């Protein structure tokens, strides 16, 4: 797909940004449709401005701005994703391509950043598939965690990608229902703890060749670690949504 990410110039692009945010419906965001005044208020309070955030226009040929991807709280070291496409350009794979490109850009520009995160509603199937196709892993499930206008709350789900997975091209999944640690350092700490004997010692590891360039999956294997074999890398620490 012929797609590029162009850094947003908040001052120069203010009118176009406000028009984009207010002209499109975003049914899976906290506010489905922003008014022009609401969009301008978000711009003025710095929601798209550096250094706290890095925002990019999603551009297809010929220079057609079809969406926006924002990495929020970059300065805090744990960016959160806000991805929006115009209504006319959804369902074409643009979101996946943009998320891959944006992930590459953030990890390349910020060597100190170790993970990038994103949250969405349980029923936002398109966004969940986009996360997975770009090498992100589901790390958390928040029951009744997403409030909706005039309706009961919905569950929210959180995804993230780790720098080490991005570098290696191998996505390490979460082991749900287990206290399995993430990475060799965490496993070393666990196995040296006097309180670790009660934990389940069987961890499942999978190698998913899908981050950020491929979606080919390898077989899942069962691995039983011990003090001499500290290679299981399987769990995550969830982060609350914004």
């Amino acid at each position: 797909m012929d797609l590029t990410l162009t850094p947003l110039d908040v001052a120069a692009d203010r009118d176009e940004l406000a028009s984009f945010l207010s002209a499109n419906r975003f049914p899976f965001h906290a506010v489905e449709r922003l008014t022009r005044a609401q969009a301008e208020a978000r711009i003025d309070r710095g929601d798209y401005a550096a250094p706290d955030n890095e925002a990019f226009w999603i551009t297809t040929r010929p220079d057609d701005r079809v969406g926006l991807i924002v990495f929020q709280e970059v300065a805090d070291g744990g960016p959160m994703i806000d991805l929006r496409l115009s209504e006319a350009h959804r369902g074409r794979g643009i979101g996946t391509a943009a998320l891959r490109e944006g992930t590459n850009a953030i990890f390349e520009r910020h060597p100190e950043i170790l993970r990038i995160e994103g949250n969405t509603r349980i029923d936002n199937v398109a966004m969940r598939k986009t996360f997975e196709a770009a090498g992100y892993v589901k790390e958390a499930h928040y029951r009744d965690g997403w409030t909706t206008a005039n309706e009961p709350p919905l569950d929210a789900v959180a995804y993230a990608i780790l720098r080490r997975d991005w570098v290696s091209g191998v996505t390490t999944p979460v082991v749900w229902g287990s206290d399995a640690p993430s990475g060799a350092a965490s496993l070393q700490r666990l196995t040296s703890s006097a309180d670790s004997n009660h934990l389940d010692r069987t961890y499942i590891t999978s190698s998913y060749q899908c981050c950020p360039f491929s979606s080919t999956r390898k077989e899942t294997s069962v691995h039983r670690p011990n003090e001499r074999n500290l290679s299981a890398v399987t769990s995550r620490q969830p982060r609350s949504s914004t």
Side-chain angles (χ1 to χ4, degrees):
M1 178 176 294
D2 197 358
L3 176 147
T4 59
L5 297 185
T6 305
L8 174 72
D9 184 329
V10 176
D13 297 338
R14 187 178 187 278
D15 287 344
E16 185 174 359
L17 177 58
S19 295
F20 170 79
L21 292 172
S22 58
N24 292 280
R25 291 176 60 254
F26 302 103
F28 297 106
H29 283 69
V31 179
E32 180 172 341
R33 187 158 205 158
L34 295 170
T35 65
R36 177 83 183 198
Q38 288 173 324
E40 291 176 344
R42 292 189 177 197
I43 297 169
D44 292 341
R45 76 184 182 192
D47 286 10
Y48 308 94
D52 291 338
N53 314 288
E54 291 198 20
F56 302 89
W57 287 112
I58 302 168
T59 306
T60 58
R61 300 298 182 191
D63 298 325
D64 186 13
R65 291 177 172 177
V66 301
L68 183 74
I69 185 167
V70 184
F71 294 88
Q72 304 165 334
E73 304 174 16
V74 171
D76 292 339
M80 296 286 291
I81 297 162
D82 181 8
L83 174 61
R84 299 171 186 258
L85 293 176
S86 67
E87 293 179 67
H89 293 87
R90 296 170 190 169
R92 304 183 186 182
I94 294 173
T96 299
L99 182 55
R100 286 174 175 158
E101 289 298 318
T103 299
N104 292 343
I106 295 300
F107 278 142
E108 288 169 359
R109 292 179 179 205
H110 301 278
E112 76 284 1
I113 289 177
L114 301 180
R115 51 184 285 119
I116 303 172
E117 308 172 28
N119 294 346
T120 192
R121 285 168 31 168
I122 188 70
D123 59 337
N124 191 354
V125 176
M127 189 65 224
R128 296 180 66 183
K129 289 182 177 180
T130 294
F131 278 129
E132 292 170 1
Y136 284 65
V137 172
K138 181 183 174 183
E139 293 188 348
H141 191 118
Y142 304 105
R143 295 176 299 168
D144 290 352
W146 195 287
T147 57
T148 58
N150 303 318
E151 294 182 7
L154 297 172
D155 290 5
V157 286
Y159 290 78
I161 189 170
L162 304 182
R163 171 177 288 277
R164 56 183 164 86
D165 284 4
W166 174 76
V167 170
S168 69
V170 177
T171 301
T172 50
V174 175
V175 178
W176 295 100
S178 163
D179 289 322
S182 174
S186 296
L187 185 56
Q188 177 68 64
R189 181 67 61 85
L190 177 66
T191 56
S192 64
S193 170
D195 297 328
S196 65
N197 291 333
H198 71 284
L199 297 176
D200 180 3
R201 308 295 296 196
T202 300
Y203 305 135
I204 299 175
T205 60
S206 298
S207 297
Y208 292 169
Q209 297 291 346
C210 61
C211 165
F213 306 113
S214 172
S215 58
T216 303
R217 295 188 176 186
K218 293 183 179 178
E219 288 295 323
T220 298
S221 61
V222 176
H223 178 61
R224 298 178 183 275
N226 54 48
E227 286 72 13
R228 293 186 299 276
N229 192 342
L230 306 178
S231 61
V233 284
T234 49
S235 72
R236 302 291 184 273
Q237 293 297 321
R239 185 168 179 268
S240 60
S241 62
T242 57

